[in-house]
Amino acid sequence: ELAKVRKLNIELHQREVKIRDLATSDSLTGLRNRRYFDEHLAMLASQQHDEPWHLLLVDLDGFKQINDTFGHHAGDHLLQVAAERMRHIAAGAGLAARLGGDEFAIALPRGLSDTRQMARTLIEAISRPVHYEGKELRIAASIGIASSVNIDQSTEEFGICKRADLALYAAKRAGKRQYRVFDATLAVSLPNAGRRKTDINPAETALGEVAERLGLAGPKSGTQ
């Protein structure tokens, strides 16, 4: 009887872990989702660090045109390939996540020099062609970077996500396929620009993904 109880406890624990993983992972790409990423940012903000950590917001340039032209299956394939490239580049250094649609993020507990190098590597990697059903598809990436220095995470106005979003907007406005690092001039020149496409309820996102995996909802489009 004791052995059966132990086996049951193990199975229950494994089931809880699986449910937790379903609720905190993106069903299309396998990266962590917005809900998990927000919790991770909060954890980083609460810890002491020897040097500032950085947030990279990554937006795919040209994705909508390809998705509209070749269909959602091609769009989903692009998202999966881009996500895998980000996962590989961030592995062992930071946490990569899909926030929704064609927007991704990486939390990097490294200095600005390493962060800039990662941004350059990401832009180069994502710009490589993707082959899909005999076609060569190309997208690019714009990246906004913000530092944890002098960040007040309790207010959206001064939060690191807001700053990274302003930097992302500046990168796109400058011609795309590049990165920008937040500085005080962006807050003055682009005060209303930083509105994230993925500004949605993370709990609703998680529940929707779990429902999809369990067959309780229809398939999710690549463009949310």
Side-chain angles (χ1 to χ4, degrees):
E1 288 297 325
L2 183 59
K4 289 182 178 179
V5 171
R6 288 176 176 171
K7 182 180 179 181
L8 179 60
N9 286 336
I10 292 173
E11 290 175 350
L12 287 173
H13 175 70
Q14 291 174 339
R15 185 173 300 179
E16 289 173 358
V17 170
K18 184 176 182 179
I19 291 173
R20 167 70 177 172
D21 188 62
L22 286 171
T24 57
S25 298
D26 175 63
S27 59
L28 178 64
T29 65
L31 294 180
R32 289 302 185 183
N33 63 15
R34 167 77 178 273
R35 175 188 180 184
Y36 185 96
F37 194 74
D38 284 348
E39 292 175 355
H40 184 72
L41 288 186
M43 180 196 70
L44 284 175
S46 68
Q47 296 175 338
Q48 295 292 327
H49 299 270
D50 293 333
E51 61 180 351
W53 55 275
H54 292 82
L55 171 64
L56 300 88
L57 285 186
V58 184
D59 192 81
L60 303 184
D61 302 323
F63 171 78
K64 185 179 185 302
Q65 292 88 333
I66 290 178
N67 196 64
D68 291 345
T69 301
F70 298 105
H72 292 311
H73 290 299
D76 286 351
H77 181 68
L78 270 180
L79 291 173
Q80 290 167 337
V81 171
E84 185 55 38
R85 291 174 182 177
M86 287 183 225
R87 188 203 319 272
H88 176 73
I89 292 168
L95 176 71
R98 182 187 177 209
L99 303 183
D102 60 346
E103 190 170 57
F104 299 79
I106 296 175
L108 186 64
R110 301 284 179 88
L112 182 57
S113 177
D114 288 342
T115 303
R116 287 179 181 272
Q117 181 57 51
M118 178 174 286
R120 289 190 287 267
T121 302
L122 285 167
I123 290 171
E124 188 280 327
I126 293 171
S127 297
R128 294 200 302 266
V130 175
H131 297 280
Y132 177 77
E133 294 186 349
K135 304 178 183 68
E136 186 176 275
L137 308 180
R138 289 181 179 272
I139 54 174
S142 295
I143 301 176
I145 297 172
S147 167
S148 62
V149 173
N150 297 324
I151 287 290
D152 181 359
Q153 282 295 102
S154 65
T155 63
E156 177 62 22
E157 181 180 3
F158 299 107
I160 193 168
C161 294
K162 172 73 172 183
R163 295 184 178 191
D165 205 36
L166 286 169
L168 173 60
Y169 185 88
K172 290 180 122 4
R173 196 175 71 162
K176 305 180 181 181
R177 203 173 182 270
Q178 54 192 293
Y179 72 87
R180 286 289 182 271
V181 180
F182 175 84
D183 60 47
T185 61
L186 293 182
V188 175
S189 61
L190 305 172
N192 299 314
R195 295 180 180 176
R196 301 172 71 183
K197 296 181 295 183
T198 53
D199 191 15
I200 54 180
N201 187 318
E204 290 180 1
T205 301
L207 289 173
E209 289 173 352
V210 172
E212 180 185 338
R213 293 195 189 189
L214 296 179
L216 301 177
K220 182 172 52 179
S221 166
T223 53
Q224 299 181 29

